[in-house]
Amino acid sequence: MKTIWGGVVPLHIGTEVEEPVLAWAKASRVRRPFLVLDPGARLPSGRSVGDLVHSLEASGLAAFAFEVPEYGSLDAVGQGLGQLHFEASDGVVAVGGARAIDLAKTIAFMSAQTHPPAAIAADPTLINRSVPMPSAAIAVDLAGVAALGGAVFLADDAGTPFFLRDEALRPSVAALVPARPALTELDRRLVASLLIDAGQAFPEQGESILVLVETLLAGTGEAPHAEVAEAALTAAGVLERCPGPGRAVATFAAAAGGGSFRDVMLDVAMSVIPGRSPELSGLAERLAARSKGDGSTLRTALGSVPLDTLTRVTLASHVLDLGTWLAALGFSLPATRRRGGRRARLGE
C-alpha cells in the first residue's frame, strides 16, 4: 500500500476497504465502529455496504452502518450522534466521498463536545480538548480526499451556513480506495471547482491553487492515482484554510433541499465568477467549456430555497460576504428576513 505523506493527514492508497479499517481499529482499540456511508453507496469492486459490514463482523468487529440523510445539516449531525450513542460505538469511520467524510468527522468531533457546533464555530475557545473519539476516513474518490481537512461547512436550523474549523476535525487515519478503476474527470472537476472558489475569496492563494488545478485538469482520468491523489490531498489543506463563497452556497442549497452539493458546486465554478485573478477566471472558463455549464443548476437550486439567511458567514479571521458575491452573479438577495416570518426567494 502506497502512502502519501506531508498533507493534512497521511494518505494510504489501496484496493480493499477492509485493510485500512481493520488496521485502524486494531491500533485504536476500536471494537464497535460506526460506519458513515453515502446513500446507496457502492464500494470498490462493486461490493455493497452489507458485504463490508459482514466482512468486518467476520473479523470480530461489531459494525453499525449509518447512511448520510442529507448534506451539511445540523439535523444530520444530530441523527448521527444519536445513533452513535445508541449503538455504544467507540470509533467513527467514513466510507465514501465528501458527503460521508464531512459528516463522519463532524460526528467524531462533536461526540466530545459540550457546546453546539454553531457556538464552537463562533468561539473556538469553547472546544473541549479531551481525547476525541477515534476516526478514520476511507475516500472512494478525489472529492473525499479533498474533504480530509479539519474544516466543514454546516447549515444551522435557520438555514444559515457557518464554518467549523479545528485540527481535531481531521481523521486520524485516511485512505483512498477508488470505487472505480480510474479517478474520473468529474472527480477532478469537482475538486478544481472547490479550489477555484477558494481562490476567489483568498487571492493570495492564487499561485498555489493554479498549480493544483492544472494538475487536476491535465490529461484524463486514467492518470496515475498517486499524482492526482497528492493534488487532492494538498487541496484539502487549502480548503481547510480558505472557505469559498460557492462552497457555502452549495452547502446551503443541499441542506435546504435545493439540490445536490456536487451539482451546485460544479455549476458555481462553471458560472461567470467575478474574480480578482484573471488566471483563476480563465480556469473557470476552461471548466465551463468542458462541461457546458451555464449557471442554470445554481439558479434553479437557489430559486427553490429561502435566501434571506444567506448573506454572510462569519469566520474566525473575517466575514465571507455571500450577498455581494451572489449579487455580482445577478442574484437579488434581501439583507434581512421579512416581517411575519415569510422568507424572500430568488426573484422576489
Side-chain angles (χ1 to χ4, degrees), residues 47-290:
R47 300 169 63 220
S48 69
V49 170
D51 294 334
L52 174 60
V53 171
H54 293 323
S55 178
L56 295 178
E57 289 178 341
S59 299
L61 299 179
F64 176 81
F66 176 75
E67 288 193 353
V68 181
E70 57 189 14
Y71 191 91
S73 73
L74 285 183
D75 184 60
V77 176
Q79 288 184 48
L81 283 169
Q83 289 293 332
L84 176 82
H85 294 309
F86 180 79
E87 297 295 329
S89 298
D90 53 1
V92 180
V93 55
V95 182
R99 185 171 179 169
I101 290 173
D102 275 348
L103 180 58
K105 67 188 186 185
T106 306
I107 290 172
F109 174 80
M110 289 306 303
S111 68
Q113 304 307 315
T114 56
H115 294 87
I120 293 173
D123 183 5
T125 63
L126 296 177
I127 295 175
N128 180 5
R129 297 293 178 184
S130 61
V131 179
M133 178 168 287
S135 64
I138 313 301
V140 300
D141 55 30
L142 290 180
V145 175
L148 293 173
V152 62
F153 263 114
L154 295 168
D156 66 17
D157 294 337
T160 305
F162 63 92
F163 190 62
L164 182 63
R165 173 169 52 197
D166 193 80
E167 288 186 2
L169 277 161
R170 299 174 181 173
S172 52
V173 171
L176 171 62
V177 183
R180 297 171 295 275
L183 297 173
T184 68
E185 182 174 340
L186 181 61
D187 296 328
R188 293 161 173 264
R189 289 205 315 264
L190 179 57
V191 179
S193 296
L194 288 163
L195 286 167
I196 291 171
D197 175 55
Q200 300 296 327
F202 294 83
E204 67 277 9
Q205 297 290 326
E207 185 174 344
S208 60
I209 286 175
L210 283 170
V211 173
L212 291 172
V213 173
E214 289 286 2
T215 300
L216 289 163
L217 296 183
T220 68
E222 301 295 338
H225 286 171
E227 177 187 353
V228 291
E230 186 167 6
L233 184 60
T234 305
V238 175
L239 297 174
E240 177 182 290
R241 301 187 305 273
C242 308
R247 188 171 156 205
V249 167
T251 300
F252 169 83
S260 152
F261 175 86
R262 177 186 290 266
D263 293 344
V264 174
M265 191 66 238
L266 282 168
D267 207 43
V268 163
M270 292 185 301
S271 305
V272 179
I273 299 176
R276 306 175 195 175
S277 165
E279 293 82 5
L280 288 175
S281 296
L283 289 173
E285 290 175 4
R286 282 175 59 189
L287 279 175
R290 283 190 176 193

